[in-house]
């Protein structure tokens, strides 16, 4: 089934109809306004929608989805657009449903440690809302100042504290969802134990291909009594990698273990002056949280594990201000690359922790072999790598070389027994890499699940799965060449 292509006259009619549904000022269709929504944080891939619509209720979302179905138009949910895998990239044409005006905390039940929020709520704003009562929301992507809980749900996002607290799915109890046919349903609820299939578990991580979340029930946690953050500085990346394994091998359960390499340290120091030594090969940030009692002894064990692994300097943040500064360096690292490169592509792969030294060395070799530079800042405790390949889109051929290097890094992660995404999702970027880790039978099984939720394929087409004619997938996601394939850098299987 081919997607509908709208004439200008039909677009004008539909714009009026959409405005009647959601109100004037809640629909964009001018090309210059649509440009803002042509990509997410992965700017290598761009496409223009016909409309961007800003609903303020589930009923609005449902009506927009029903209109899209009637007109045979693809639609895609969009949060803050901070995704890094092209997940909310529009199909060519169709409707972008921006959830940014659905951003309220609807209910907080402190006794049961549960909050009900709208999907466009910025992640950090939930912790701000419940913070004065002594609570917070644990999943903390480094983009938490901007990304939305709806986007986190779709990508099953993680963050520095995933090591101890798990990813988004571990914090979601229930969801109100507008299904791809426009029906409004509840998956799960407000209690921790639900009966029947774990539908929130299936929906979380489905990257906007199973429907659009319009309300989300999340767990909120008591703030820990004490937090301690340790910075360990190394002259060799191998020592830093060994320290990551050593800390965990000694039976400690840090809340976070993050690593940042020399190129990144220098970018961060130039931008923010956070106190990382500029000449270090790598720095490791270890955070403990929990009861105040015993915290000093545990901190001492972390310090010792880092020293035994060859750290040239280990220090615990003396106060909250110093702790925040260390975290600022880590969490602002992606932004700091902007000072040293006009563009960069953030990779997201997972490897067994013990393979860190080998994989980091290979990543450097791969990127160098393409004449490019890479900075690494990542959730080392989880084995979740983020090689950031720096490039200049104005230099002919650099984008292709970045894409090629990225594909080789993903294959490397798969070869060492890891995976092709830790937290950023598959989106458009890695759809063709799914074959690195899944067999055709695995993929067909997963596509069957997708068809159960999204039989026409109009809901966020072209994402997650390698699209091919023979998949039996109906709808607008039927075969169209992936940009990587068009560049001759990847093959369909
Ligand atoms: C500087 C930086 C740091 C980052 N650090 C991290 C990190 O530490 N951990 C991490 O996991 N990610 C990280 N990311 C990636 C990104 O922030 C996350 O994937 C985030 O969850 C995306 O949220 P968003 O609101 O921007 O979603 P978008 O980019 O707008 O959309 C992402 C996906 O969610 C879908 N979607 C959005 N809203 C809904 C909804 N209501 N219902 C159904 N589907 C929906 C979209 O269709 C799309 O597939 C980082 C990004 C940047 C730019």
């Amino acid at each position: 089934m081919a997607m509908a292509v709208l004439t200008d006259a039909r677009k004008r009619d539909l714009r009026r109809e959409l405005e009647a549904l959601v109100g004037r000022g809640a629909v964009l269709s001018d090309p210059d306004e649509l440009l803002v929504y042509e990509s997410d944080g992965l700017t290598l891939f761009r496409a223009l929608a016909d409309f961007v619509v800003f609903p303020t209720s589930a009923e609005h979302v449902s009506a927009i989805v029903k209109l899209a179905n009637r007109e045979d138009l693809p639609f895609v949910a969009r949060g803050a657009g901070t995704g890094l895998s092209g997940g909310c990239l529009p199909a060519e044409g169709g409707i972008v449903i921006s959830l940014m005006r659905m951003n309220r905390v609807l209910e907080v039940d402190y006794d049961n440690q549960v909050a009900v929020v709208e999907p466009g709520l910025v992640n950090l704003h939930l912790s701000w809302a419940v913070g004065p009562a002594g609570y917070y929301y644990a999943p903390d992507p480094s983009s938490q100042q901007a990304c939305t809980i709806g986007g986190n749900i779709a990508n099953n996002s993680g963050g520095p504290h995933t090591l101890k607290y798990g990813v988004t799915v571990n914090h979601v109890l229930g969801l109100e969802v507008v299904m791809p046919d426009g029906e409004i349903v509840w998956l799960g609820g407000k209690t921790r134990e639900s009966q029947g299939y774990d539908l929130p578990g299936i929906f979380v991580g489905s990257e906007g291909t199973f429907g659009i979340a319009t309300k989300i029930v999340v767990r909120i946690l008591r703030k820990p009594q004490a937090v301690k953050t340790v910075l360990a500085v190394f002259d060799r990346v191998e020592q830093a990698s060994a320290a990551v394994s050593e800390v965990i091998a000694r039976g400690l359960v840090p809340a976070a273990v993050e690593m940042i390499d020399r190129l990144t340290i220098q970018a961060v120091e130039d931008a923010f002056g956070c106190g990382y030594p500029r000449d270090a090969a790598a720095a490791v940030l270890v955070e403990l949280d929990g009861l105040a009692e015993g915290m000093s002894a545990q901190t001492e064990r972390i310090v010792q594990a880092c020293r035994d692994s060859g750290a040239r300097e280990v220090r615990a943040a003396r106060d909250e201000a110093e702790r925040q500064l260390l975290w600022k360096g880590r969490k602002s690292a992606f932004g700091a690359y902007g000072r040293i490169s006009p563009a960069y592509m953030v990779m997201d792969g997972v490897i067994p922790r013990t393979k860190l030294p080998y994989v980091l060395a290979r990543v450097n070799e791969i990127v160098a072999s393409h004449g490019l530079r890479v900075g690494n800042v990542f959730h080392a405790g989880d084995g979740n790598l983020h090689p950031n390949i720096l490039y200049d889109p104005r230099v002919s051929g650099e984008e292709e070389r970045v894409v090629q290097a990225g594909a080789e890094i993903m294959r490397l992660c798969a070869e060492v027994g890891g995976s092709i995404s830790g937290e950023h999702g598959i989106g458009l970027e890695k759809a063709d890499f799914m074959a690195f880790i899944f067999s055709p039978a695995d993929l067909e099984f997963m596509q069957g699940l997708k068809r159960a939720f999204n039989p026409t394929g109009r809901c966020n087409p072209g994402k997650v799965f390698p699209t091919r004619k023979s998949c039996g997938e109906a709808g607008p996601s039927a075969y169209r060449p992936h940009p990587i394939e068009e560049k001759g850098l990847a093959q369909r299987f």
Side-chain angles (χ1 to χ4, degrees):
M1 183 175 65
M3 272 185 299
V5 177
L6 298 175
T7 61
D8 287 348
R10 190 74 197 122
K11 270 191 204 169
R12 277 194 296 277
D13 289 347
L14 286 179
R15 181 184 171 122
R16 272 194 290 275
E17 203 179 331
L18 284 165
E19 282 176 344
L21 292 176
V22 294
R24 286 173 76 88
V27 182
L28 305 178
S29 62
D30 293 342
D32 51 344
E33 294 171 326
L34 296 171
L35 271 182
V36 177
Y37 299 88
E38 68 170 354
S39 80
D40 60 7
L42 177 67
T43 51
L44 271 173
F45 305 131
R46 297 159 197 254
L48 279 190
D50 291 316
F51 305 99
V52 179
V53 187
F54 300 89
T56 52
S57 69
E59 289 69 28
H60 277 172
V61 176
S62 166
I64 298 162
V65 166
K66 284 181 179 161
L67 180 145
N69 279 307
R70 190 195 72 202
E71 296 295 321
D72 188 16
L73 293 174
F75 53 92
V76 53
R78 181 180 171 106
T82 67
L84 292 166
S85 60
C88 68
L89 190 82
E92 293 287 352
I95 304 178
V96 169
I97 302 177
S98 166
L99 283 310
M100 290 307 280
R101 293 188 188 172
M102 294 175 64
N103 56 11
R104 292 172 301 167
V105 176
L106 297 172
E107 193 185 324
V108 183
D109 176 350
Y110 289 109
D111 292 339
N112 290 303
Q113 298 193 199
V114 162
V116 184
V117 305
E118 290 185 316
L121 180 72
V122 168
N123 174 301
L124 188 59
H125 294 184
L126 178 53
S127 289
W128 285 354
V130 298
Y135 292 81
Y136 77 112
Y137 179 58
D140 61 340
S142 302
S143 53
Q144 69 180 150
Q145 296 177 34
C147 67
T148 67
I149 303 225
N152 298 166
I153 297 292
N155 283 353
N156 194 14
S157 289
H161 292 89
T162 294
L163 182 60
K164 181 169 176 183
Y165 294 98
V167 283
T168 298
V169 72
N170 304 115
H171 301 268
V172 175
L173 301 178
L175 299 145
E176 180 191 68
V177 172
V178 173
M179 297 298 286
D181 64 357
E183 194 181 346
I184 303 175
V185 301
W186 267 95
L187 313 179
K190 288 186 186 170
T191 54
R192 273 148 216 266
E193 308 301 332
S194 60
Q195 308 302 313
Y197 296 131
D198 177 10
L199 294 176
I202 291 172
F203 189 88
V204 175
S206 58
E207 301 196 25
T209 63
F210 284 8
I212 301 178
T214 45
K215 287 193 186 76
I216 302 156
V217 186
V218 292
R219 296 166 63 200
I220 50 170
L221 302 184
R222 272 277 201 198
K223 285 185 192 168
Q225 241 177 35
V227 180
K228 209 74 189 165
T229 305
V230 170
L231 177 74
V233 180
F234 299 87
D235 288 326
R236 297 207 335 260
V237 170
E238 297 74 26
Q239 296 168 325
S241 305
V244 173
S245 295
E246 191 56 31
V247 164
I248 293 164
R250 292 193 185 186
L252 296 155
V253 188
V257 179
E258 301 283 299
M259 198 195 289
I260 162 168
D261 72 358
R262 176 179 283 134
L263 187 134
T264 313
I265 289 174
Q266 291 176 352
V268 162
E269 285 307 305
D270 287 348
F272 306 111
C274 296
Y276 294 93
R278 294 177 55 88
D279 63 333
V284 173
L285 209 55
V286 185
E287 183 155 284
L288 287 165
D289 68 6
L291 296 174
E293 197 179 325
M295 187 63 78
S296 303
Q298 282 193 59
T299 307
E300 194 38 51
R301 287 174 64 200
I302 302 267
V303 170
Q304 202 50 54
C306 293
R307 287 213 175 105
D308 292 349
S309 306
R312 80 167 195 221
E313 178 193 343
V314 192
R315 64 182 153 94
R318 281 170 301 244
D319 52 29
E320 184 56 20
E322 192 182 350
R323 191 179 86 81
Q324 289 297 343
L325 197 60
L326 291 177
W327 272 112
K328 182 173 177 171
R330 162 59 186 92
K331 291 212 170 187
S332 309
F334 288 172
Y337 289 129
R339 294 178 68 98
I340 56 171
S341 177
Y344 62 94
M345 176 151 126
V346 185
M347 305 301 301
D348 167 39
V350 182
I351 56 161
R353 253 190 324 255
T354 49
K355 306 274 190 206
L356 264 176
Y358 167 71
V359 171
L360 286 178
R362 278 290 298 133
V363 164
N364 281 322
E365 283 167 16
I366 289 170
V367 175
S369 75
H370 291 280
L372 298 163
R373 289 187 300 162
V374 64
N376 290 282
V377 49
F378 58 100
H379 313 306
D382 310 337
N384 185 181
L385 300 184
H386 291 323
N388 301 290
I389 308 176
L390 313 184
Y391 70 99
D392 186 343
R394 294 163 301 189
V395 176
S396 164
E398 278 214 350
E399 282 189 351
E400 284 78 3
R401 282 186 279 132
V402 171
V403 171
Q404 180 68 57
E408 288 173 31
I409 291 170
M410 286 299 109
R411 194 177 279 286
L412 170 68
C413 291
E415 276 167 7
V416 298
S419 182
I420 59 171
S421 173
E423 53 186 17
H424 296 170
I426 302 298
L428 181 69
E429 178 203 6
K430 291 189 234 168
D432 281 347
F433 305 157
M434 289 284 272
F436 293 173
I437 50 172
F438 293 113
S439 71
D442 296 336
L443 289 172
E444 183 48 40
F445 178 78
M446 286 188 268
Q447 299 233 59
L449 187 59
K450 178 178 152 187
R451 282 193 292 274
F453 278 80
N454 181 12
T456 66
R458 284 193 196 97
C459 183
N460 205 7
K463 311 296 165 59
V464 183
F465 296 105
T467 48
R468 58 187 171 139
K469 283 177 181 156
S470 57
C471 281
E473 184 175 318
S477 58
Y479 177 82
R480 66 192 168 103
H482 186 291
I484 297 175
E485 188 191 1
E486 279 171 347
K487 288 175 180 161
L489 300 172
Q491 286 180 332
R492 240 155 252 284
F493 63 96

